Amino acid sequence: MKDIRIALLDMNNNHVNQGFRNIKEISEAFRQNSEENVVIKTFDVRFKNEMPEITDFDIFISSGGPGTPHREGFEWEDRFARFLDSIFEHNQYSEDKKYLFLICHSFQLASIHWKLGNICKRKSYSFGVMPIHKTREGREEFLFKNLQDPFYAVDSRAYQFIEPDHDRFEELGMQITAIEKFRPHINLERAVMAVRFSDEIFGTQFHPEANPEALIENLKDEKNKEAMIENFGMEKYLEVIDRIDDEDKIIRTRNEILPRFLQFAEKNMLKKTESLA
């Protein structure tokens, strides 16, 4: 039996966060359902400057978090940049792949690091249950296989990724798999919401880990409530509250994307182990 070693990277900088708790819950459910021996370890990247050694783990999930994704001169920023490069390069030259999922703040950090486009501040904070549209590549994306188009996810961000550099995407072999909702009455570019960075690395601007309880908890925060009303209007806000636990909205997104990512990584690792046996 092979150990499957998962590193969870906490990017919340010591802020209390529902999202990281949800990531731990999904990882724990995977551990309980797996026939393999799954080991899970957490790293406090920004507050304690902890960073996993990539040789010690097979799967990495890096969370969302507060603040600017642009460099501010902290030691952890260099360490995280080296971490991204080492996984990307390791997978190009090694048979023994490493799997990485990047969420929200981590997704923005990676998009800036690989110079994929313009990651800038939004005019206003975005918070709520948003429709996410698949791109042509996104319709082929196995992580989205059982999700409708558009599917729904929790969005919580002050920054956005717009104006992607398509030449750079092609050069690195990366693909945009989802974009934000189409608003014909607003003359703004649609933000990038998910990227397939490589066969083993995937990232989302939205929160695939979110569940209804966490969203309700977040809406107790006045800033989030105001952002949602500003984005949707009061009527839509009340409708979202009403639909928060619809089976085909954020519950389905939570049950599909991260669990599928973990199962995919496990399946490929076991295949590799069998071929060496």
Side-chain angles (χ1 to χ4, degrees):
M1 185 183 281
K2 177 177 169 53
D3 276 5
I4 294 176
R5 301 155 305 166
I6 302 176
L8 304 182
L9 281 65
D10 181 351
M11 304 296 278
N12 286 291
N13 204 15
N14 210 32
H15 287 71
V16 178
N17 185 268
Q18 289 287 331
F20 196 67
R21 190 181 304 158
N22 293 336
I23 291 167
K24 286 200 279 193
E25 283 169 6
I26 290 170
S27 306
E28 184 54 37
F30 169 75
R31 187 180 74 79
Q32 288 176 7
N33 291 325
S34 175
E35 290 174 8
E36 309 307 309
N37 184 39
V38 177
V39 179
I40 301 168
K41 190 165 180 207
T42 64
F43 293 82
D44 188 337
V45 176
R46 293 168 72 185
F47 191 67
K48 294 184 180 167
N49 198 23
E50 296 174 343
M51 191 70 70
E53 287 293 332
I54 75 157
T55 46
D56 294 345
F57 295 91
D58 309 295
I59 301 171
F60 305 82
I61 302 174
S62 191
S63 78
T68 174
H70 292 282
R71 283 188 173 244
E72 296 180 287
F74 296 114
E75 191 188 336
W76 71 263
E77 293 168 330
D78 286 333
R79 297 185 73 192
F80 190 74
R82 285 197 298 273
F83 163 78
L84 291 173
D85 284 338
S86 12
I87 290 186
F88 194 76
E89 285 158 20
H90 169 94
N91 286 338
Q92 287 178 314
Y93 302 109
S94 171
E95 287 291 301
D96 181 22
K97 306 299 185 192
K98 304 288 178 181
Y99 299 86
L100 169 63
F101 200 106
L102 299 150
I103 297 170
C104 197
H105 192 81
S106 299
F107 169 80
Q108 294 165 359
L109 291 168
S111 301
I112 291 168
H113 176 68
W114 282 313
K115 302 181 172 66
L116 299 180
N118 178 12
I119 288 78
C120 58
K121 202 154 191 181
R122 282 177 53 90
K123 282 194 166 61
S124 62
Y125 190 79
S126 172
F127 184 85
V129 179
M130 305 290 191
I132 312 287
H133 293 262
K134 300 178 190 182
T135 59
R136 192 173 70 241
E137 291 78 12
R139 288 195 281 276
E140 303 298 313
E141 172 56 58
F142 78 95
L143 294 179
F144 297 165
K145 187 182 172 197
N146 293 336
L147 299 175
Q148 295 162 319
D149 189 12
F151 59 93
Y152 287 81
V154 169
D155 190 28
S156 172
R157 63 197 160 103
Y159 286 80
Q160 61 182 352
F161 174 179
I162 55 170
E163 298 159 7
D165 180 339
H166 295 289
D167 292 340
R168 181 74 177 148
F169 268 87
E170 202 166 312
E171 178 195 336
L172 293 174
M174 299 179 177
Q175 292 181 331
I176 296 168
T177 53
I179 52 178
E180 73 180 336
K181 63 186 179 297
F182 184 47
R183 294 180 293 177
H185 57 290
I186 298 175
N187 186 24
L188 290 172
E189 186 164 346
R190 295 162 81 180
V192 173
M193 294 304 278
V195 169
R196 168 59 69 190
F197 293 101
S198 74
D199 287 347
E200 302 81 17
I201 305 173
F202 195 82
T204 62
Q205 174 62 80
F206 58 86
H207 287 270
E209 78 281 14
N211 63 11
E213 295 81 30
L215 185 58
I216 289 162
E217 200 56 42
N218 276 323
L219 282 172
K220 289 177 183 169
D221 181 327
E222 206 54 38
K223 182 186 78 163
N224 289 338
K225 184 177 172 180
E226 281 169 19
M228 201 166 172
I229 291 167
E230 188 178 334
N231 276 308
F232 288 118
M234 181 54 90
E235 191 182 336
K236 191 72 175 167
Y237 165 77
L238 295 170
E239 185 184 278
V240 167
I241 295 299
D242 192 43
R243 289 180 173 177
I244 234 161
D245 51 6
D246 273 11
E247 287 294 328
D248 68 341
K249 293 199 169 53
I250 63 171
I251 293 173
R252 178 175 287 191
T253 301
R254 175 188 165 93
N255 290 343
E256 285 291 327
I257 296 179
L258 268 176
R260 263 180 179 273
F261 169 78
L262 289 166
Q263 288 153 13
F264 166 78
E266 177 182 50
K267 195 171 97 184
N268 283 3
M269 285 162 59
L270 295 177
K271 239 191 262 175
K272 173 77 178 62
T273 311
E274 281 162 20
S275 69
L276 291 174

